Amino acid sequence: MEQAAAPAAPHDPAETRLTVTSPEQMRELGRRLAKLLRAGDLVMLTGELGAGKTTLTRGLGEGMGVRGAVTSPTFVIARVHPSLGDGPPLVHVDAYRLSGGLDEMEDLDLDVSLPDSVIVVEWGEGKVEELTEDRLQVVIHRAVGDTTDEVRHVTVTGLGGRWADAALETLAA
């Protein structure tokens, strides 16, 4: 993976840009990202269908050492993967089929789960930002249309004080 951005100024959101060229690299990015996460973190994943959001989350689960195979929760909306060790559980949410904002997601009790869990929300933009101002936004861009191109351009942005000194540039290692 290649890093394409300089470190942000202290007053700016922390951000790093990466190029990922295979599903295995996307999983590895998730494993590296897991090392930066702790209970109370909200990760929002944005990208086209097939961009690699679930693949990244699968790597997060591996890196966090959680129980169960991480698969897309599209039809169940949310899955909880308890930790196999002393780490936090991973709550994996797919908000694709939810049209409303946080009100529609209240039944998931994400606000109750957040302090003790790492919550990853696919398609969460415009739906879960109110949970916390400290969040990690991961945007995955891929070529669209009739293509077999595996290249993904990933932008990881840390918002809020939690991510001010998070060393996101280590994700490119």
Side-chain angles (χ1 to χ4, degrees):
M1 281 182 265
E2 302 170 16
Q3 184 174 1
H11 61 286
D12 291 335
E15 181 175 285
T16 193
R17 296 172 189 254
L18 309 154
T19 299
V20 175
T21 59
S22 70
E24 181 49 43
Q25 280 190 358
M26 188 66 77
R27 280 176 79 161
E28 178 58 29
L29 175 59
R31 288 189 286 268
R32 281 199 304 276
L33 180 57
K35 294 175 184 174
L36 300 177
L37 297 175
R38 63 183 185 217
D41 285 341
L42 172 64
V43 181
M44 293 175 38
L45 303 179
T46 303
E48 299 87 2
L49 285 170
K53 297 178 295 296
T54 300
T55 302
L56 178 81
T57 307
R58 193 169 292 124
L60 280 172
E62 292 168 4
M64 291 175 62
V66 299
R67 185 177 70 211
V70 174
T71 59
S72 178
T74 300
F75 297 105
V76 296
I77 309 295
R79 281 192 166 81
V80 177
H81 297 275
S83 175
L84 292 171
D86 59 358
L90 171 65
V91 178
H92 184 197
V93 179
D94 187 329
Y96 183 74
R97 297 184 314 143
L98 303 177
S99 58
L102 189 57
D103 291 341
E104 187 175 357
M105 297 189 73
E106 274 187 2
D107 290 341
L108 299 177
D109 287 332
L110 296 180
D111 55 336
V112 174
S113 301
L114 184 58
D116 301 318
S117 306
V118 169
I119 297 180
V120 176
V121 183
E122 297 185 30
W123 304 98
E125 194 169 3
K127 298 174 183 167
V128 296
E129 288 91 339
E130 294 174 30
L131 282 173
T132 178
E133 52 188 56
D134 292 319
R135 62 187 176 275
L136 197 62
Q137 291 182 296
V138 180
V139 179
I140 306 169
H141 293 282
R142 70 171 184 88
V144 293
D146 187 18
T147 180
T148 58
D149 189 357
E150 294 289 340
V151 174
R152 306 293 192 258
H153 299 283
V154 181
T155 303
V156 181
T157 306
L159 300 169
R162 157 73 175 99
W163 297 102
D165 299 316
L168 294 177
E169 67 276 1
T170 62
L171 295 174

Short mmCIF file of all heavy atoms in Angstrom, two decimals, residues 86-143:
data_model
loop_
_atom_site.label_atom_id
_atom_site.label_comp_id
_atom_site.label_asym_id
_atom_site.label_seq_id
_atom_site.Cartn_x
_atom_site.Cartn_y
_atom_site.Cartn_z
N ASP A 86 -9.64 -10.06 25.99
CA ASP A 86 -10.11 -9.03 26.90
C ASP A 86 -10.46 -7.72 26.18
O ASP A 86 -10.68 -6.70 26.82
CB ASP A 86 -9.08 -8.78 28.00
CG ASP A 86 -7.72 -8.33 27.46
OD1 ASP A 86 -7.57 -8.25 26.22
OD2 ASP A 86 -6.83 -8.06 28.27
N GLY A 87 -10.52 -7.74 24.86
CA GLY A 87 -10.85 -6.55 24.09
C GLY A 87 -12.35 -6.32 23.99
O GLY A 87 -13.16 -7.13 24.45
N PRO A 88 -12.73 -5.22 23.37
CA PRO A 88 -14.16 -4.91 23.23
C PRO A 88 -14.80 -5.75 22.13
O PRO A 88 -14.12 -6.23 21.22
CB PRO A 88 -14.16 -3.44 22.83
CG PRO A 88 -12.86 -3.25 22.11
CD PRO A 88 -11.88 -4.17 22.80
N PRO A 89 -16.12 -5.93 22.21
CA PRO A 89 -16.81 -6.58 21.10
C PRO A 89 -16.86 -5.67 19.88
O PRO A 89 -16.72 -4.45 20.00
CB PRO A 89 -18.22 -6.83 21.65
CG PRO A 89 -18.38 -5.91 22.80
CD PRO A 89 -17.01 -5.58 23.30
N LEU A 90 -17.05 -6.28 18.73
CA LEU A 90 -17.22 -5.55 17.48
C LEU A 90 -18.71 -5.61 17.12
O LEU A 90 -19.28 -6.70 17.01
CB LEU A 90 -16.40 -6.20 16.36
CG LEU A 90 -16.63 -5.69 14.94
CD1 LEU A 90 -16.19 -4.24 14.79
CD2 LEU A 90 -15.90 -6.57 13.93
N VAL A 91 -19.33 -4.44 16.98
CA VAL A 91 -20.71 -4.36 16.52
C VAL A 91 -20.65 -3.91 15.07
O VAL A 91 -20.17 -2.81 14.78
CB VAL A 91 -21.54 -3.37 17.37
CG1 VAL A 91 -22.97 -3.27 16.83
CG2 VAL A 91 -21.54 -3.78 18.84
N HIS A 92 -21.10 -4.76 14.16
CA HIS A 92 -21.02 -4.51 12.72
C HIS A 92 -22.43 -4.24 12.20
O HIS A 92 -23.30 -5.10 12.28
CB HIS A 92 -20.41 -5.74 12.04
CG HIS A 92 -20.19 -5.58 10.57
ND1 HIS A 92 -19.99 -6.67 9.76
CD2 HIS A 92 -20.12 -4.50 9.77
CE1 HIS A 92 -19.82 -6.26 8.52
NE2 HIS A 92 -19.90 -4.94 8.50
N VAL A 93 -22.65 -3.03 11.70
CA VAL A 93 -23.97 -2.57 11.27
C VAL A 93 -23.93 -2.28 9.78
O VAL A 93 -22.98 -1.68 9.28
CB VAL A 93 -24.39 -1.29 12.03
CG1 VAL A 93 -25.76 -0.81 11.57
CG2 VAL A 93 -24.37 -1.52 13.54
N ASP A 94 -24.98 -2.68 9.07
CA ASP A 94 -25.15 -2.32 7.67
C ASP A 94 -26.42 -1.50 7.57
O ASP A 94 -27.52 -2.02 7.71
CB ASP A 94 -25.25 -3.57 6.80
CG ASP A 94 -25.26 -3.25 5.32
OD1 ASP A 94 -25.76 -2.17 4.94
OD2 ASP A 94 -24.79 -4.08 4.53
N ALA A 95 -26.27 -0.20 7.36
CA ALA A 95 -27.41 0.71 7.32
C ALA A 95 -27.95 0.92 5.90
O ALA A 95 -28.76 1.82 5.69
CB ALA A 95 -27.01 2.05 7.95
N TYR A 96 -27.54 0.10 4.95
CA TYR A 96 -27.93 0.28 3.55
C TYR A 96 -29.44 0.34 3.38
O TYR A 96 -29.96 1.17 2.65
CB TYR A 96 -27.34 -0.85 2.71
CG TYR A 96 -27.63 -0.73 1.23
CD1 TYR A 96 -26.97 0.21 0.45
CD2 TYR A 96 -28.56 -1.56 0.61
CE1 TYR A 96 -27.22 0.32 -0.90
CE2 TYR A 96 -28.82 -1.45 -0.74
CZ TYR A 96 -28.15 -0.51 -1.49
OH TYR A 96 -28.41 -0.39 -2.83
N ARG A 97 -30.17 -0.56 4.06
CA ARG A 97 -31.62 -0.63 3.88
C ARG A 97 -32.39 0.34 4.77
O ARG A 97 -33.60 0.41 4.70
CB ARG A 97 -32.11 -2.05 4.13
CG ARG A 97 -31.53 -3.04 3.14
CD ARG A 97 -32.06 -4.44 3.30
NE ARG A 97 -32.09 -4.89 4.68
CZ ARG A 97 -33.06 -5.65 5.19
NH1 ARG A 97 -34.04 -6.05 4.44
NH2 ARG A 97 -33.02 -6.03 6.45
N LEU A 98 -31.68 1.08 5.61
CA LEU A 98 -32.34 2.04 6.49
C LEU A 98 -32.34 3.40 5.84
O LEU A 98 -31.29 3.92 5.47
CB LEU A 98 -31.62 2.10 7.84
CG LEU A 98 -31.50 0.78 8.58
CD1 LEU A 98 -30.70 0.96 9.86
CD2 LEU A 98 -32.86 0.19 8.89
N SER A 99 -33.51 3.99 5.71
CA SER A 99 -33.60 5.27 5.00
C SER A 99 -33.53 6.46 5.94
O SER A 99 -33.18 7.55 5.52
CB SER A 99 -34.89 5.33 4.19
OG SER A 99 -36.00 5.16 5.05
N GLY A 100 -33.88 6.28 7.20
CA GLY A 100 -33.89 7.39 8.15
C GLY A 100 -32.54 7.63 8.77
O GLY A 100 -31.56 6.95 8.49
N GLY A 101 -32.50 8.60 9.66
CA GLY A 101 -31.27 8.92 10.36
C GLY A 101 -31.17 8.12 11.64
O GLY A 101 -31.62 6.97 11.74
N LEU A 102 -30.60 8.75 12.66
CA LEU A 102 -30.38 8.08 13.94
C LEU A 102 -31.68 7.61 14.56
O LEU A 102 -31.71 6.58 15.23
CB LEU A 102 -29.62 9.03 14.88
CG LEU A 102 -29.10 8.43 16.18
CD1 LEU A 102 -28.17 7.26 15.91
CD2 LEU A 102 -28.40 9.50 17.01
N ASP A 103 -32.80 8.33 14.33
CA ASP A 103 -34.08 7.92 14.89
C ASP A 103 -34.44 6.50 14.49
O ASP A 103 -34.88 5.70 15.31
CB ASP A 103 -35.20 8.87 14.45
CG ASP A 103 -35.08 10.24 15.07
OD1 ASP A 103 -34.37 10.36 16.09
OD2 ASP A 103 -35.68 11.18 14.54
N GLU A 104 -34.25 6.17 13.21
CA GLU A 104 -34.58 4.83 12.72
C GLU A 104 -33.63 3.78 13.29
O GLU A 104 -33.98 2.62 13.45
CB GLU A 104 -34.54 4.79 11.20
CG GLU A 104 -35.04 3.47 10.63
CD GLU A 104 -35.11 3.47 9.12
OE1 GLU A 104 -34.83 4.51 8.50
OE2 GLU A 104 -35.44 2.42 8.57
N MET A 105 -32.44 4.20 13.64
CA MET A 105 -31.44 3.26 14.15
C MET A 105 -31.52 3.10 15.67
O MET A 105 -30.82 2.28 16.24
CB MET A 105 -30.04 3.71 13.73
CG MET A 105 -29.91 3.69 12.21
SD MET A 105 -28.25 3.95 11.65
CE MET A 105 -27.52 2.39 12.07
N GLU A 106 -32.40 3.87 16.33
CA GLU A 106 -32.50 3.80 17.78
C GLU A 106 -32.79 2.39 18.29
O GLU A 106 -32.33 2.01 19.37
CB GLU A 106 -33.56 4.77 18.31
CG GLU A 106 -33.02 6.14 18.54
CD GLU A 106 -34.02 7.06 19.21
OE1 GLU A 106 -35.14 6.62 19.54
OE2 GLU A 106 -33.67 8.23 19.40
N ASP A 107 -33.54 1.62 17.54
CA ASP A 107 -33.87 0.26 17.97
C ASP A 107 -32.62 -0.61 18.11
O ASP A 107 -32.65 -1.63 18.79
CB ASP A 107 -34.84 -0.41 16.99
CG ASP A 107 -36.23 0.21 17.06
OD1 ASP A 107 -36.54 0.86 18.08
OD2 ASP A 107 -36.99 0.04 16.10
N LEU A 108 -31.55 -0.23 17.47
CA LEU A 108 -30.31 -0.99 17.56
C LEU A 108 -29.54 -0.69 18.85
O LEU A 108 -28.58 -1.39 19.17
CB LEU A 108 -29.41 -0.70 16.36
CG LEU A 108 -29.98 -1.05 14.99
CD1 LEU A 108 -29.01 -0.63 13.90
CD2 LEU A 108 -30.28 -2.53 14.89
N ASP A 109 -29.93 0.35 19.58
CA ASP A 109 -29.28 0.75 20.84
C ASP A 109 -27.79 0.98 20.68
O ASP A 109 -27.00 0.65 21.57
CB ASP A 109 -29.54 -0.30 21.94
CG ASP A 109 -30.96 -0.26 22.46
OD1 ASP A 109 -31.58 0.82 22.40
OD2 ASP A 109 -31.44 -1.31 22.92
N LEU A 110 -27.40 1.57 19.56
CA LEU A 110 -25.98 1.83 19.34
C LEU A 110 -25.42 2.79 20.39
O LEU A 110 -24.27 2.65 20.79
CB LEU A 110 -25.75 2.39 17.94
CG LEU A 110 -26.08 1.46 16.78
CD1 LEU A 110 -25.80 2.15 15.45
CD2 LEU A 110 -25.32 0.16 16.89
N ASP A 111 -26.24 3.73 20.85
CA ASP A 111 -25.77 4.66 21.87
C ASP A 111 -25.46 3.95 23.18
O ASP A 111 -24.56 4.34 23.92
CB ASP A 111 -26.77 5.80 22.08
CG ASP A 111 -28.17 5.31 22.42
OD1 ASP A 111 -28.52 4.17 22.07
OD2 ASP A 111 -28.92 6.09 23.03
N VAL A 112 -26.17 2.87 23.45
CA VAL A 112 -25.92 2.07 24.65
C VAL A 112 -24.68 1.20 24.46
O VAL A 112 -23.88 1.03 25.38
CB VAL A 112 -27.16 1.20 25.00
CG1 VAL A 112 -26.87 0.27 26.15
CG2 VAL A 112 -28.35 2.10 25.31
N SER A 113 -24.50 0.65 23.27
CA SER A 113 -23.38 -0.24 22.98
C SER A 113 -22.06 0.49 22.82
O SER A 113 -21.00 -0.07 23.09
CB SER A 113 -23.65 -1.03 21.69
OG SER A 113 -24.81 -1.79 21.79
N LEU A 114 -22.10 1.74 22.36
CA LEU A 114 -20.88 2.45 21.98
C LEU A 114 -19.81 2.52 23.08
O LEU A 114 -18.64 2.24 22.79
CB LEU A 114 -21.21 3.86 21.47
CG LEU A 114 -20.03 4.68 20.95
CD1 LEU A 114 -19.31 3.96 19.82
CD2 LEU A 114 -20.49 6.05 20.49
N PRO A 115 -20.13 2.85 24.31
CA PRO A 115 -19.05 3.00 25.30
C PRO A 115 -18.22 1.73 25.53
O PRO A 115 -17.05 1.81 25.87
CB PRO A 115 -19.79 3.39 26.59
CG PRO A 115 -21.08 3.97 26.13
CD PRO A 115 -21.43 3.22 24.88
N ASP A 116 -18.81 0.56 25.32
CA ASP A 116 -18.14 -0.70 25.61
C ASP A 116 -17.71 -1.47 24.37
O ASP A 116 -17.12 -2.54 24.49
CB ASP A 116 -19.06 -1.60 26.44
CG ASP A 116 -19.46 -0.94 27.75
OD1 ASP A 116 -18.59 -0.32 28.39
OD2 ASP A 116 -20.65 -1.01 28.11
N SER A 117 -18.00 -0.94 23.19
CA SER A 117 -17.78 -1.67 21.94
C SER A 117 -17.04 -0.81 20.92
O SER A 117 -16.94 0.39 21.07
CB SER A 117 -19.12 -2.07 21.33
OG SER A 117 -19.93 -2.77 22.23
N VAL A 118 -16.59 -1.46 19.87
CA VAL A 118 -16.18 -0.77 18.65
C VAL A 118 -17.34 -0.98 17.69
O VAL A 118 -17.73 -2.12 17.42
CB VAL A 118 -14.88 -1.36 18.07
CG1 VAL A 118 -14.62 -0.79 16.67
CG2 VAL A 118 -13.70 -1.07 18.99
N ILE A 119 -17.91 0.10 17.21
CA ILE A 119 -19.05 0.01 16.29
C ILE A 119 -18.60 0.42 14.90
O ILE A 119 -18.04 1.50 14.71
CB ILE A 119 -20.22 0.90 16.75
CG1 ILE A 119 -20.74 0.41 18.11
CG2 ILE A 119 -21.34 0.89 15.71
CD1 ILE A 119 -21.88 1.22 18.67
N VAL A 120 -18.83 -0.47 13.94
CA VAL A 120 -18.51 -0.22 12.54
C VAL A 120 -19.83 -0.18 11.78
O VAL A 120 -20.61 -1.13 11.83
CB VAL A 120 -17.60 -1.33 11.96
CG1 VAL A 120 -17.36 -1.10 10.48
CG2 VAL A 120 -16.29 -1.39 12.73
N VAL A 121 -20.07 0.93 11.09
CA VAL A 121 -21.33 1.11 10.35
C VAL A 121 -21.03 1.30 8.88
O VAL A 121 -20.40 2.27 8.48
CB VAL A 121 -22.14 2.31 10.89
CG1 VAL A 121 -23.47 2.43 10.14
CG2 VAL A 121 -22.37 2.20 12.39
N GLU A 122 -21.48 0.33 8.07
CA GLU A 122 -21.43 0.49 6.62
C GLU A 122 -22.64 1.32 6.21
O GLU A 122 -23.73 1.13 6.74
CB GLU A 122 -21.48 -0.88 5.94
CG GLU A 122 -20.30 -1.77 6.24
CD GLU A 122 -20.33 -3.07 5.45
OE1 GLU A 122 -20.86 -3.07 4.32
OE2 GLU A 122 -19.80 -4.08 5.96
N TRP A 123 -22.46 2.21 5.26
CA TRP A 123 -23.54 3.05 4.75
C TRP A 123 -24.13 3.94 5.85
O TRP A 123 -25.31 4.25 5.85
CB TRP A 123 -24.66 2.22 4.13
CG TRP A 123 -24.23 1.28 3.04
CD1 TRP A 123 -23.97 -0.04 3.18
CD2 TRP A 123 -24.00 1.58 1.68
NE1 TRP A 123 -23.59 -0.58 1.98
CE2 TRP A 123 -23.60 0.40 1.03
CE3 TRP A 123 -24.08 2.76 0.93
CZ2 TRP A 123 -23.29 0.36 -0.32
CZ3 TRP A 123 -23.78 2.70 -0.42
CH2 TRP A 123 -23.39 1.51 -1.02
N GLY A 124 -23.30 4.37 6.79
CA GLY A 124 -23.80 5.14 7.93
C GLY A 124 -23.83 6.64 7.75
O GLY A 124 -24.37 7.35 8.60
N GLU A 125 -23.29 7.13 6.65
CA GLU A 125 -23.24 8.57 6.44
C GLU A 125 -24.65 9.17 6.48
O GLU A 125 -25.57 8.68 5.83
CB GLU A 125 -22.57 8.87 5.09
CG GLU A 125 -22.19 10.31 4.93
CD GLU A 125 -21.31 10.54 3.72
OE1 GLU A 125 -21.03 9.59 2.96
OE2 GLU A 125 -20.90 11.68 3.53
N GLY A 126 -24.80 10.23 7.27
CA GLY A 126 -26.10 10.88 7.42
C GLY A 126 -27.03 10.15 8.37
O GLY A 126 -28.18 10.54 8.52
N LYS A 127 -26.53 9.09 9.03
CA LYS A 127 -27.40 8.29 9.89
C LYS A 127 -26.89 8.13 11.32
O LYS A 127 -27.68 7.96 12.23
CB LYS A 127 -27.59 6.90 9.27
CG LYS A 127 -28.26 6.94 7.92
CD LYS A 127 -28.31 5.59 7.27
CE LYS A 127 -28.94 5.73 5.88
NZ LYS A 127 -28.76 4.55 5.08
N VAL A 128 -25.57 8.16 11.52
CA VAL A 128 -25.06 7.87 12.86
C VAL A 128 -24.08 8.91 13.39
O VAL A 128 -23.55 8.74 14.49
CB VAL A 128 -24.39 6.47 12.91
CG1 VAL A 128 -25.39 5.38 12.64
CG2 VAL A 128 -23.21 6.39 11.97
N GLU A 129 -23.87 9.99 12.69
CA GLU A 129 -22.91 11.00 13.12
C GLU A 129 -23.26 11.57 14.50
O GLU A 129 -22.39 11.98 15.25
CB GLU A 129 -22.80 12.14 12.12
CG GLU A 129 -22.10 11.77 10.84
CD GLU A 129 -23.07 11.28 9.76
OE1 GLU A 129 -24.19 10.86 10.10
OE2 GLU A 129 -22.69 11.30 8.59
N GLU A 130 -24.54 11.59 14.83
CA GLU A 130 -24.98 12.16 16.10
C GLU A 130 -24.58 11.30 17.31
O GLU A 130 -24.66 11.77 18.44
CB GLU A 130 -26.49 12.36 16.09
CG GLU A 130 -26.94 13.40 15.09
CD GLU A 130 -28.46 13.49 14.99
OE1 GLU A 130 -29.14 13.23 15.99
OE2 GLU A 130 -28.94 13.82 13.89
N LEU A 131 -24.12 10.08 17.08
CA LEU A 131 -23.71 9.23 18.19
C LEU A 131 -22.52 9.83 18.93
O LEU A 131 -22.44 9.75 20.15
CB LEU A 131 -23.34 7.82 17.70
CG LEU A 131 -24.48 6.89 17.37
CD1 LEU A 131 -23.95 5.62 16.73
CD2 LEU A 131 -25.29 6.56 18.62
N THR A 132 -21.57 10.39 18.19
CA THR A 132 -20.37 10.97 18.79
C THR A 132 -19.67 11.86 17.78
O THR A 132 -19.68 11.58 16.58
CB THR A 132 -19.41 9.87 19.28
OG1 THR A 132 -18.24 10.49 19.82
CG2 THR A 132 -19.01 8.91 18.19
N GLU A 133 -19.05 12.91 18.28
CA GLU A 133 -18.27 13.75 17.36
C GLU A 133 -16.88 13.16 17.13
O GLU A 133 -16.17 13.57 16.21
CB GLU A 133 -18.19 15.19 17.84
CG GLU A 133 -17.73 15.36 19.26
CD GLU A 133 -17.86 16.81 19.71
OE1 GLU A 133 -18.96 17.37 19.64
OE2 GLU A 133 -16.83 17.35 20.14
N ASP A 134 -16.49 12.20 17.95
CA ASP A 134 -15.22 11.48 17.77
C ASP A 134 -15.51 10.23 16.96
O ASP A 134 -16.09 9.28 17.47
CB ASP A 134 -14.61 11.08 19.12
CG ASP A 134 -14.14 12.26 19.92
OD1 ASP A 134 -13.56 13.19 19.34
OD2 ASP A 134 -14.35 12.25 21.14
N ARG A 135 -15.12 10.25 15.70
CA ARG A 135 -15.38 9.08 14.86
C ARG A 135 -14.32 8.99 13.77
O ARG A 135 -13.65 9.96 13.46
CB ARG A 135 -16.77 9.13 14.26
CG ARG A 135 -17.03 10.31 13.36
CD ARG A 135 -18.50 10.39 12.92
NE ARG A 135 -18.74 11.56 12.14
CZ ARG A 135 -19.00 12.76 12.63
NH1 ARG A 135 -19.07 12.95 13.92
NH2 ARG A 135 -19.21 13.78 11.83
N LEU A 136 -14.22 7.81 13.23
CA LEU A 136 -13.30 7.54 12.14
C LEU A 136 -14.13 7.32 10.89
O LEU A 136 -15.02 6.47 10.87
CB LEU A 136 -12.48 6.30 12.47
CG LEU A 136 -11.20 6.07 11.69
CD1 LEU A 136 -10.22 7.21 11.92
CD2 LEU A 136 -10.57 4.77 12.11
N GLN A 137 -13.86 8.11 9.85
CA GLN A 137 -14.56 7.94 8.58
C GLN A 137 -13.60 7.30 7.59
O GLN A 137 -12.48 7.79 7.39
CB GLN A 137 -15.05 9.29 8.05
CG GLN A 137 -16.15 9.87 8.90
CD GLN A 137 -16.68 11.18 8.35
OE1 GLN A 137 -15.96 12.16 8.28
NE2 GLN A 137 -17.93 11.17 7.97
N VAL A 138 -14.05 6.21 6.99
CA VAL A 138 -13.26 5.51 5.99
C VAL A 138 -14.05 5.53 4.69
O VAL A 138 -15.15 4.98 4.62
CB VAL A 138 -12.97 4.05 6.42
CG1 VAL A 138 -12.14 3.34 5.36
CG2 VAL A 138 -12.27 4.02 7.78
N VAL A 139 -13.49 6.18 3.69
CA VAL A 139 -14.14 6.28 2.38
C VAL A 139 -13.32 5.46 1.40
O VAL A 139 -12.10 5.67 1.27
CB VAL A 139 -14.26 7.75 1.91
CG1 VAL A 139 -14.92 7.81 0.54
CG2 VAL A 139 -15.03 8.58 2.93
N ILE A 140 -13.99 4.52 0.73
CA ILE A 140 -13.32 3.63 -0.23
C ILE A 140 -13.85 3.93 -1.62
O ILE A 140 -15.04 3.81 -1.88
CB ILE A 140 -13.57 2.15 0.12
CG1 ILE A 140 -13.17 1.87 1.57
CG2 ILE A 140 -12.82 1.24 -0.85
CD1 ILE A 140 -13.61 0.50 2.09
N HIS A 141 -12.95 4.35 -2.50
CA HIS A 141 -13.32 4.62 -3.89
C HIS A 141 -12.79 3.49 -4.77
O HIS A 141 -11.67 3.04 -4.61
CB HIS A 141 -12.71 5.94 -4.37
CG HIS A 141 -13.27 7.14 -3.69
ND1 HIS A 141 -14.49 7.67 -4.01
CD2 HIS A 141 -12.78 7.89 -2.68
CE1 HIS A 141 -14.73 8.70 -3.24
NE2 HIS A 141 -13.71 8.86 -2.42
N ARG A 142 -13.62 3.07 -5.70
CA ARG A 142 -13.20 2.06 -6.68
C ARG A 142 -13.74 2.46 -8.04
O ARG A 142 -14.69 3.23 -8.14
CB ARG A 142 -13.69 0.67 -6.31
CG ARG A 142 -15.20 0.48 -6.45
CD ARG A 142 -15.59 -0.98 -6.28
NE ARG A 142 -17.00 -1.20 -6.50
CZ ARG A 142 -17.56 -1.46 -7.66
NH1 ARG A 142 -16.83 -1.53 -8.76
NH2 ARG A 142 -18.86 -1.65 -7.77
N ALA A 143 -13.14 1.90 -9.06
CA ALA A 143 -13.65 2.12 -10.42
C ALA A 143 -15.03 1.48 -10.51
O ALA A 143 -15.26 0.40 -9.97
CB ALA A 143 -12.71 1.51 -11.45
#
